[in-house]
Amino acid sequence: MRRSASIALACAAGAAAILPAATPAAAATPELGLVVPVLAPMLPGQTGWVGTMWAASDDICNVKVTASGTGVTVKYPTNTATYSSLSKGDSLATGHLDYAAFNVTMNSNTLLALVPLKLSYSYTVKADGATDCTGTAKTGSVTATLPVVSVSGDAVVQKTTQVTVPKATPVWSQLVFQSRKAGVDNLQVTVSGGPTGLVVSYPQNTGTFTSLSKGSSLAVGTDDFAAVKFDATNVAAGTYKLTVSLKYGSTTDTNELTLVVA
């Protein structure tokens, strides 16, 4: 399974055991167990990779895990398509850890909640001395908790609060934004204010504003940047305050930007 930089792994500081938890004497102890039952939190409407950490109490192979939950859409890595396996392959040795990842989309109507995510798994317990994946096939399931956290304030957060530009020549600067809520479409960014002589311009295809580099929409929990050109050749060196206006849908927000002319 391919790794993804956007995969978020939940780790609990108080989790001392790395092997599957013990079950009642009347039940068989699974050779594959979920280590941390609480997963990394998501925002309403967010799509992202969620990692689940597993441990083995015996040598196992052919590990396959699927996930399902109310208000949740799950997709899998392209190389497995209908399930997730482990990051280092489909085998896990006794006492070792590895993770399986799922691409999860949370319903935008789900606000603050603890969403049960059912993880169904299958694997083969390797026969003693086996050099290939032969042995006893087993299945099981466990429920993990996926926290959904709602946020207050603006739907778009401006992550770039300061840019430095040279006085000698005009330069393009990147302003980074992140969406915290669903519905950020057709985002338009303009910059105003500042000292006399400062010239602000935008890409030729927009002219009076700048849009995002990957398109006009910003998915929940993702970052993108908008490019703005600053010409400070007729401005004295110093620090100035500018206003960044964000327009999307029927909403207009404003944020402050510090411009340093050096």
Side-chain angles (χ1 to χ4, degrees):
M1 187 192 74
R2 297 184 300 175
R3 292 175 177 267
S4 171
S6 55
I7 292 177
L9 293 180
C11 294
I18 65 170
L19 296 178
T23 56
T29 301
E31 292 80 5
L32 178 67
L34 183 68
V35 177
V36 183
V38 180
L39 308 180
M42 298 187 71
L43 297 168
Q46 183 177 2
T47 296
W49 287 95
V50 174
T52 57
M53 187 66 75
W54 301 82
S57 62
D58 203 341
D59 292 345
I60 61 174
C61 56
N62 196 27
V63 175
K64 299 179 180 180
V65 188
T66 60
S68 61
T70 302
V72 175
T73 301
V74 179
K75 294 182 179 180
Y76 303 97
T78 55
N79 61 322
T80 53
T82 58
Y83 65 90
S84 286
S85 193
L86 303 171
S87 70
K88 300 175 183 177
D90 67 354
S91 300
L92 197 57
T94 304
H96 286 210
L97 297 168
D98 201 355
Y99 66 85
F102 307 92
N103 189 264
V104 175
T105 299
M106 182 57 58
N107 192 318
S108 60
N109 295 324
T110 303
L111 300 179
L112 184 64
L114 297 175
V115 177
L117 195 67
K118 182 181 179 181
L119 304 174
S120 300
Y121 53 83
S122 63
Y123 58 92
T124 298
V125 183
K126 296 181 70 173
D128 292 343
T131 57
D132 57 1
C133 191
T134 57
T136 304
K138 293 193 175 183
T139 61
S141 66
V142 65
T143 299
T145 299
L146 180 60
V148 180
V149 293
S150 56
V151 295
S152 58
D154 298 334
V156 180
V157 175
Q158 180 180 310
K159 300 181 74 173
T160 303
T161 59
Q162 178 175 306
V163 294
T164 299
V165 302
K167 176 176 170 56
T169 183
V171 293
W172 287 94
S173 296
Q174 296 180 355
L175 307 183
V176 180
F177 302 93
Q178 182 181 82
S179 173
R180 300 289 180 85
K181 299 178 183 179
V184 180
D185 301 311
N186 193 29
L187 181 65
Q188 299 180 5
V189 181
T190 57
V191 180
S192 59
T196 301
L198 177 67
V199 179
V200 178
S201 55
Y202 309 103
Q204 291 182 353
N205 61 327
T206 56
T208 58
F209 63 89
T210 183
S211 191
L212 299 169
S213 68
K214 299 176 184 176
S216 59
S217 298
L218 192 57
V220 178
T222 61
D223 293 2
D224 200 357
F225 71 86
V228 180
K229 189 177 183 179
F230 294 101
D231 183 350
T233 54
N234 295 316
V235 176
T239 301
Y240 305 93
K241 297 296 183 182
L242 309 180
T243 298
V244 178
S245 297
L246 309 176
K247 182 179 180 182
Y248 49 95
S250 59
T251 302
T252 299
D253 294 329
T254 58
N255 297 290
E256 189 177 83
L257 177 67
T258 299
L259 176 71
V260 178
V261 179

